[in-house]
Amino acid sequence: GAGMGMTAPVSITAFPAEDGSLQQKVKVYLRIPNQFQASPPCPSDESIKIEERQGMTIYSTQFGGYAKEVDYVNYAAKLKTALGSEAAYRKDFYFCNGYDPPMKPYGRRNEVWFVKE
C-alpha cells in the first residue's frame, strides 16, 4: 500500500540465445528509493521479490530514443564487438536499462550493461 513513485533505471535482465536474440524469460528490476532502503514495504503480490543487488563492475554503452528489443540486441552486439575477446564478462545475461518515463519524447537515455567477471 505504500506509493514509492518511479525510479531509474528500470533494469531488465536479458538472456541471449545462441543467435543473439533474446529468450522469452525476463527479470525486471526496479530500484527501491533511498527512504525505503532500510525497511522496504512487503509486496502484496507473491511474484514480486525484494532482492539485494551486490555491487558490480559493468561495461556499458548508451543510446537514445524509444528503445525496443531489437535496439537492445543491436547495442549489445556493438558492445560485444567493441570489447573484443580480451574483456571478461558474463555471457549468459546482460542488463537493458531505461531511464525515462514513457511520456518523455526527446533526450531519452538507454543503456546496455555487461557484468565484468
Side-chain angles (χ1 to χ4, degrees), residues 35-101:
Q35 66 267 33
F36 295 102
Q37 288 281 324
S39 182
C42 288
S44 57
D45 183 328
E46 291 181 14
S47 69
I48 298 172
K49 307 286 186 240
I50 295 178
E51 297 181 1
E52 184 172 339
R53 188 186 286 181
Q54 298 300 315
M56 64 183 121
T57 301
I58 61 165
Y59 298 104
S60 178
T61 189
Q62 183 178 329
F63 61 98
Y66 282 97
K68 299 179 201 61
E69 180 178 324
V70 68
D71 300 312
Y72 286 114
V73 169
N74 288 339
Y75 278 92
K78 289 178 184 181
L79 182 56
K80 180 179 179 179
T81 299
L83 292 172
S85 60
E86 297 299 312
Y89 59 91
R90 297 285 305 262
K91 309 279 191 300
D92 54 331
F93 71 92
Y94 58 88
F95 293 106
C96 304
N97 301 283
Y99 286 82
D100 303 295

